[in-house]
Amino acid sequence: MDYQSYFQSNKDKHLQELGELISIPSISALSEHKSDMNRAAEWVADSLRRAGMEQVEIYPTDGHPIVYGEHVHAPGKPTVLVYGHYDVQPVDPLELWESPPFEPTIRDNKLFARGATDDKGQIFLHIKAAEALLQLDKELPVNLKFCIEGEEEVTSPNLPSFLTEHQGKLAADVVLISDTALLEPGKPAICTGLRGLCSLEVSVRTANTDLHSGTYGGGVPNSLHVLVDLLASLHDKQGRVAVEGFYEGVPEMTDLIREEIEKLQFSEEGLKQTLALDTLYGEEGFGFIARTGVRPTLELNGVYGGFQGEGTKTVIPKEAHAKITCRLVGDQDPQDVLDKIEAHLQAHLLPGAKLEVKQLERARAFTIDPSDPMLQKAADAYEKIYGTRALFTKDGGSIPIVETLSRVLKAPAVMMGFGLPNENLHAPNEHFHLENFDKGLLTIVEYLKSL
């Protein structure tokens, strides 16, 4: 039996199994789902054992467990470490789901459920591809290891120490990850860069109490005025971040990157229509793809203070707050960027106000040369199954652990995604196109055989 026939004959069984995993509400951010996290880890471990993996273990952490399994009986052949995660995002707002988020439902050849594409559906493909290779060939063409965690959606706080402690066990020639997307249906992509991340919360305080705007207005500092002025100072009129030294470590765009962007044939007009926008925005001299993939950003994610209710309340608020995140590229150091932003805010603070800055997340950017043989073979595997060779792209998002995996294990990370950009990951009605479920299995088999 060939692989396509094997997967087709087992498709109902595989989807039933995936449905069992997706039905577990393994929301890592919510403490009330601790038992569900453990249940999902057990399910993944059992699935690895059924697939033929050995030395399967569940490693407890200070947070949620990490599942490991291996099949290393191919001396002289490369070792592939497959990384993925079994945790999922919260489901709010629940009323926007067309079917319950943890009751998998197939509509229009799409599997709807939280975790369907991010990342349970995609990591499940690797488990079933390995199982198929052992069923049909009775051996694997490579040495294969799995590291599947339960904290990716909360920035993987415990995985870095696990990687360091178990560096020998996890040693590999390539890290294989399916947690990204195709460009569009039938148009595969391999991500060669992820932006880093840093975040902070800003609080401005003035008087020791809220004040009546008639009695005190125009005569005392207003925390909202101070905050708005402060936030406006973070960018210039050309869309550049105005923080001194912010762009240190940002590489110049190369001709190769420009060529890859051109190959994408991205339509900014189409994007404007889709989003009902009159114009796009960003740093002068760069198009949308460059702004969101290869340039750093500083974005306001929340600004709040003062009266928020219905009607009018004539108050001068004593405090105001903002949440800020930066996407980082190249060699930008997240700690250095946070310190420079804090210094900028202190330097631009209006008189009569006090500033508090809480520094939060820090993650470095990841980049890899697309000429790496492991990536080239992945592009070839896509071409064999999809009929179109994968393009190499830069992703504007952040998967902080990718840089850590590649750096600690000293191995290239191949991001071989099978989702689609419009599959509502992190949003209501998340889904996974089953066409890519089918082709993903075949592509993974083809890639492992090619190594």
Side-chain angles (χ1 to χ4, degrees):
M1 180 184 292
D2 62 27
Y3 282 94
Q4 186 162 2
S5 300
Y6 173 86
F7 288 128
Q8 282 303 310
S9 63
N10 284 279
K11 185 172 181 177
D12 289 344
K13 175 175 173 284
H14 289 167
L15 288 175
Q16 181 182 352
E17 290 179 17
L18 176 56
E20 293 173 7
L21 174 59
I22 290 176
S23 297
I24 303 172
S26 49
I27 304 171
S28 54
L30 302 179
S31 58
E32 61 262 35
H33 288 283
K34 177 71 174 176
S35 62
D36 296 315
M37 296 301 299
N38 292 330
R39 193 154 57 98
E42 290 283 359
W43 193 99
V44 170
D46 288 343
S47 182
L48 289 172
R49 292 187 190 101
R50 290 194 302 270
M53 297 301 107
E54 302 164 347
Q55 308 300 321
V56 176
E57 295 182 63
I58 297 175
Y59 289 85
T61 73
D62 290 339
H64 303 303
I66 295 168
V67 184
Y68 176 84
E70 65 179 38
H71 192 283
V72 289
H73 300 291
K77 303 291 178 66
T79 297
V80 178
L81 175 70
V82 175
Y83 163 81
H85 62 95
Y86 62 84
D87 64 321
V88 300
Q89 284 277 322
V91 298
D92 309 279
L94 188 59
E95 66 273 11
L96 296 184
W97 286 81
E98 294 178 17
S99 53
F102 296 108
E103 294 180 17
T105 305
I106 295 176
R107 300 192 298 273
D108 301 323
N109 204 36
K110 304 168 191 173
L111 176 63
F112 285 81
R114 173 59 89 227
T117 189
D118 182 24
D119 178 45
K120 290 178 177 178
Q122 297 206 55
I123 191 61
F124 182 80
L125 296 179
H126 288 273
I127 298 172
K128 290 300 148 185
E131 182 178 80
L133 284 161
L134 286 171
Q135 289 286 324
L136 296 185
D137 292 353
K138 310 306 179 188
E139 63 181 6
L140 294 181
V142 294
N143 299 294
L144 193 60
K145 301 176 179 180
F146 284 87
C147 178
I148 305 174
E149 68 156 326
E151 296 183 323
E152 193 277 339
E153 300 292 6
V154 289
T155 70
S156 306
N158 291 293
L159 188 56
S161 59
F162 178 82
L163 294 176
T164 302
E165 291 168 18
H166 300 277
Q167 200 166 338
K169 178 185 283 288
L170 297 168
D173 298 294
V174 60
V175 180
L176 183 56
I177 303 167
S178 292
D179 198 9
T180 50
L182 283 70
L183 286 173
E184 58 187 56
K187 199 171 183 180
I190 296 171
C191 178
T192 62
L194 292 162
R195 292 194 290 188
L197 176 73
C198 65
S199 65
L200 61 155
E201 292 180 1
V202 178
S203 297
V204 168
R205 292 180 174 84
T206 49
N208 59 3
T209 183
D210 288 355
L211 298 168
H212 190 291
S213 68
T215 305
Y216 292 94
V220 298
N222 182 317
S223 65
L224 281 172
H225 293 184
V226 174
L227 182 64
V228 169
D229 180 83
L230 203 55
L231 298 179
S233 75
L234 291 169
H235 292 86
D236 65 19
K237 299 297 184 184
Q238 289 72 46
R240 282 178 61 85
V241 177
V243 174
E244 185 176 351
F246 179 83
Y247 289 93
E248 288 178 12
V250 176
E252 294 296 321
M253 278 184 62
T254 64
D255 290 340
L256 178 60
I257 291 174
R258 294 181 192 279
E259 289 170 12
E260 290 297 327
I261 289 175
E262 284 295 320
K263 289 179 186 175
L264 300 179
Q265 298 179 332
F266 182 80
S267 170
E268 294 193 357
E269 285 300 319
L271 178 64
K272 286 191 287 187
Q273 291 177 17
T274 299
L275 300 179
L277 289 170
D278 295 326
T279 184
L280 299 180
Y281 166 82
E283 187 181 358
E284 263 188 18
F286 299 93
F288 177 81
I289 294 296
R291 289 169 179 168
T292 58
V294 299
R295 298 296 291 172
T297 65
L298 186 156
E299 293 289 340
L300 308 181
N301 306 125
V303 179
Y304 51 101
F307 180 60
Q308 306 288 313
E310 184 179 357
T312 301
K313 182 181 182 184
T314 53
V315 65
I316 297 173
K318 68 174 183 175
E319 61 185 61
H321 311 273
K323 294 178 182 288
I324 299 172
T325 54
C326 298
R327 300 291 177 167
L328 310 177
V329 300
D331 293 324
Q332 282 183 295
D333 180 345
Q335 183 60 61
D336 181 59
V337 170
L338 286 170
D339 291 342
K340 285 172 176 170
I341 294 171
E342 184 167 350
H344 174 98
L345 294 171
Q346 290 286 2
H348 288 76
L349 185 67
L350 291 174
K354 301 178 185 68
L355 177 70
E356 179 186 338
V357 175
K358 185 183 295 184
Q359 297 185 5
L360 300 171
E361 301 154 296
R362 302 163 183 83
R364 285 187 171 272
F366 167 77
T367 188
I368 186 171
D369 187 342
S371 67
D372 187 290
M374 294 295 187
L375 273 71
Q376 290 296 319
K377 285 182 178 289
D380 293 339
Y382 274 118
E383 183 173 22
K384 186 154 187 181
I385 303 303
Y386 280 83
T388 302
R389 199 166 194 271
L391 292 173
F392 296 103
T393 64
K394 300 284 187 182
D395 196 305
S398 304
I399 308 177
I401 200 61
V402 173
E403 186 274 338
T404 307
L405 281 161
S406 184
R407 174 170 44 81
V408 172
L409 300 180
K410 298 178 174 61
V414 176
M415 283 178 278
M416 204 172 190
F418 299 100
L420 284 172
N422 62 352
E423 288 181 334
N424 288 28
L425 61 166
H426 293 206
N429 303 309
E430 179 181 345
H431 56 277
F432 189 22
H433 284 65
L434 294 183
E435 176 188 1
N436 292 318
F437 180 89
D438 298 336
K439 289 183 175 179
L441 288 164
L442 293 169
T443 305
I444 293 167
V445 167
E446 179 63 32
Y447 181 56
L448 295 179
K449 281 176 162 289
S450 78
L451 296 181

